[in-house]
Amino acid sequence: MRIVFIGPPGAGKGTQAERLVGAYEIAHLSTGDMLRAARDTQSEVGRKADEYMSAGELVPDDIIIAIIAERLREPDCENGYLLDGFPRTIAQAETLDQMLAEKGTPLDTVLELKVPEEDLFDRLAGRGRADDTPDVIRQRLVAYREQTEPLLKYYGNQDLLKSIDGTGTIEQIFVRAKTVLDEFAD
Ligand code: ADP
């Protein structure tokens, strides 16, 4: 199973991703987690990424693509994976398509978690991560709208997009996600 999971910041994607990778025994590839880990090791890449993350801006495509390309070569990805937070731009999506075409392992589906914009701000503001200050949250929402939302059409055109309602309890949302993804489980 190779899945892309898309949703705005604050949609609860991370929570659902954890549960879904557990249910299907696939790898969880969260670019946000990878970048925070890189930042914490104070590596060159981590320091560079942090400049963008702490401003709520997207990290440049070349950095993120290098990280993901390396991660996709790890053996645990052979069982399938859920991409959480990647791709976030059309350029990233096109590169991913190319990489997967070369490997002969296309995506099975793209799952969108839909949450009304007015719910997102409050959820993020209540979370307390370093990049959860009001100005940075606003910038992350703008980045989502301008750079990531176009992916919905991109994947819709490929007939890969499935959208679920991201409001309700964690359990309700999980059941909705599983109902969609069960079709692709072996
Ligand atoms: P959220 O979805 O709550 O904004 P993430 O943990 O997914 O949080 O990402 C945190 C930050 O990491 C983003 O604001 C961005 O700066 C950076 N980031 C994560 N994934 C990507 C990506 N695919 N492309 C560019 N930047 C990314």
Side-chain angles (χ1 to χ4, degrees):
M1 264 177 120
R2 288 175 297 274
I3 305 161
V4 165
F5 198 19
I6 297 190
K13 221 159 21 87
T15 306
Q16 295 299 331
E18 282 298 338
R19 292 183 144 222
L20 291 167
V21 300
Y24 296 113
E25 297 181 318
I26 55 178
H28 182 189
L29 275 46
S30 160
T31 44
D33 288 351
M34 292 176 206
L35 291 170
R36 282 185 287 276
R39 180 189 61 196
D40 293 346
T41 65
Q42 292 283 310
S43 66
E44 185 59 33
V45 165
R47 268 199 300 271
K48 181 108 197 273
D50 187 40
E51 290 172 25
Y52 296 90
M53 293 166 75
S54 49
E57 285 166 20
L58 295 187
V59 171
D61 287 337
D62 57 337
I63 296 186
I64 256 324
I65 286 165
I67 291 175
I68 277 288
E70 192 179 311
R71 183 66 184 87
L72 286 173
R73 283 194 287 271
E74 307 256 330
D76 64 329
C77 289
E78 282 165 29
N79 270 335
Y81 46 79
L82 184 145
L83 284 164
D84 169 5
F86 179 91
R88 252 181 163 92
T89 65
I90 294 282
Q92 291 176 17
E94 286 171 347
T95 307
L96 177 66
D97 278 351
Q98 242 166 47
M99 288 192 294
L100 298 186
E102 278 162 24
K103 292 179 202 274
T105 56
L107 293 172
D108 290 304
T109 194
V110 175
L111 183 66
E112 181 205 4
L113 195 57
K114 266 185 158 350
V115 176
E117 187 153 333
E118 58 268 26
D119 294 1
L120 299 172
F121 195 92
D122 291 345
R123 287 203 204 175
L124 288 164
R127 199 164 65 173
R129 209 169 68 191
D131 58 348
D132 284 342
T133 62
D135 283 349
V136 177
I137 292 172
R138 267 191 288 277
Q139 182 50 44
R140 275 157 57 211
L141 292 170
V142 168
Y144 182 78
R145 209 180 310 122
E146 293 181 353
Q147 292 174 272
T148 307
E149 251 177 18
L151 294 182
L152 300 176
K153 194 157 170 219
Y154 178 86
Y155 286 122
N157 288 340
Q158 296 186 29
D159 250 341
L160 283 174
L161 185 69
K162 309 261 188 204
S163 299
I164 59 165
D165 177 4
T167 62
T169 66
I170 291 175
E171 185 60 25
Q172 283 168 335
I173 300 162
F174 178 64
V175 170
R176 286 179 206 132
K178 262 199 105 251
T179 305
V180 169
L181 297 181
D182 273 347
E183 181 191 337
F184 305 99
D186 27 54

